[in-house]
Amino acid sequence: LLTCQPYTRIQPPAILNKSFMRLVSVDIPKGGLVVHLPGSPFPYLREHSSTYQAVLLDPPWPGCNGTLPPFEVSDLLKIPFSKLLRSGGFASIWIPKALVASLMKVMHSQTRFWYCEHITWIRTDLAHRWIFEDYPNGFRTCKRMLMVFRRDGRHDIRHQRNPDVVIDFIKGPQSDGREEKPEYVQYVIETLIPEPEGREEGDVRLLEVWGNPDQRWERRGWRRLVVEGKGKGAATFVRPTLQTIL
């Protein structure tokens, strides 16, 4: 004879407090690389000779009201994707929904690049309510889109291993004024590549441009370019050490 134990249903509050959380200690593997660039990433990208399996871009689009100069869709033509990406490599670009059509036209002009996937971030507040924005052209959206393009060439893609919709709350602006994007997308990009190369310590094959300046740790195999809105000088390289995030 099976009996059910009585239980009490606890309704969480509208905004969760720390009593509903359990802190987890996470050991982050070292091996990432940070590059601090003054003003603009374009000179570094033009002069850089490495090729990558994937490039992730989070440009400062107009309206972010940050410390970085605004980035227009046409500025994508200044990025040498064909030089940065090997055959079959992926270019992933964060963009507001209202600019997706313009982005598709510009990327179509890039030789041998094709749209293959997109990941949607549905932005919510701490009470899990969707946050909407109204655009002058009539769009109203709560989404940010990560558009994924692939350079022509033989390369398997296994996006079915991950969901393509992320529902996450806004964590507040970064120190450069831009909104912080979910870190989950980096994991998704890694699993787009069935057998990513260069995952050993000190070897990077994944590039992030306009990376989060406040991020305290680096994913193994990534090079993160942090663009500084003020000040001038040569690029500064920082190799982080193993940390525990609490």
Side-chain angles (χ1 to χ4, degrees):
L1 179 63
L2 298 178
T3 59
C4 297
Q5 298 295 330
Y7 65 92
T8 302
R9 181 188 177 101
I10 300 177
Q11 181 67 32
I15 298 180
L16 298 179
N17 53 46
K18 292 184 178 180
S19 65
F20 283 86
M21 302 179 185
R22 184 167 64 90
L23 296 179
V24 178
S25 176
V26 180
D27 290 330
I28 305 301
K30 63 181 178 180
L33 182 67
V34 188
V35 183
H36 293 269
L37 302 172
S40 170
F42 301 131
Y44 177 88
L45 295 176
R46 288 193 295 265
E47 298 170 3
H48 203 54
S49 58
S50 298
T51 56
Y52 299 90
Q53 291 179 287
V55 176
L56 170 64
L57 289 85
D58 184 14
W61 297 107
C64 68
N65 299 321
T67 62
L68 302 177
F71 184 88
E72 302 290 343
V73 176
S74 59
D75 291 331
L76 287 169
L77 298 174
K78 302 177 182 178
I79 300 176
F81 288 105
S82 298
K83 177 183 176 183
L84 292 172
L85 288 170
R86 63 184 61 179
S87 178
F90 297 95
S92 304
I93 306 171
W94 278 111
I95 190 168
K97 183 178 179 181
L99 300 178
V100 168
S102 300
L103 172 68
M104 298 293 286
K105 293 179 181 179
V106 171
M107 291 304 294
H108 181 71
S109 66
Q110 296 279 352
T111 305
R112 302 174 65 183
F113 273 85
W114 307 93
Y115 163 79
C116 65
E117 183 60 281
H118 71 272
I119 301 170
T120 302
W121 172 30
I122 299 179
R123 302 154 64 243
T124 70
D125 59 15
L126 294 179
H128 306 288
R129 296 182 295 247
W130 292 8
I131 298 179
F132 291 92
E133 290 180 335
D134 295 318
Y135 289 92
N137 56 8
F139 278 95
R140 191 186 191 206
T141 180
C142 64
K143 303 175 182 177
R144 291 288 186 268
M145 312 290 291
L146 182 69
M147 308 297 293
V148 183
F149 300 86
R150 182 174 57 177
R151 187 180 179 187
D152 196 11
R154 296 191 62 182
H155 204 307
D156 190 13
I157 177 173
R158 298 184 179 178
H159 61 278
Q160 296 88 348
R161 290 190 275 178
N162 297 296
D164 55 7
V165 176
V166 179
I167 302 177
D168 197 3
F169 62 89
I170 297 178
K171 301 174 181 60
Q174 301 168 166
S175 58
D176 59 8
R178 297 176 300 136
E179 61 185 3
E180 181 180 349
K181 302 302 191 299
E183 297 175 2
Y184 175 74
V185 299
Q186 292 175 305
Y187 170 78
V188 173
I189 292 173
E190 292 171 355
T191 55
L192 282 173
I193 305 170
E195 297 180 359
E197 304 173 9
R199 298 307 301 275
E200 295 78 13
E201 182 177 344
D203 192 8
V204 292
R205 287 294 179 267
L206 304 169
L207 178 67
E208 182 182 6
V209 187
W210 286 287
N212 182 356
D214 308 318
Q215 185 171 313
R216 296 182 296 166
W217 55 274
E218 306 308 315
R219 298 182 72 95
R220 179 180 296 166
W222 284 82
R223 171 177 279 121
R224 179 166 57 100
L225 305 185
V226 175
V227 181
E228 300 174 348
K230 298 180 181 180
K232 298 180 180 180
T236 302
F237 294 82
V238 178
R239 186 175 297 280
T241 58
L242 184 66
Q243 299 184 39
T244 299
I245 307 301
L246 298 178

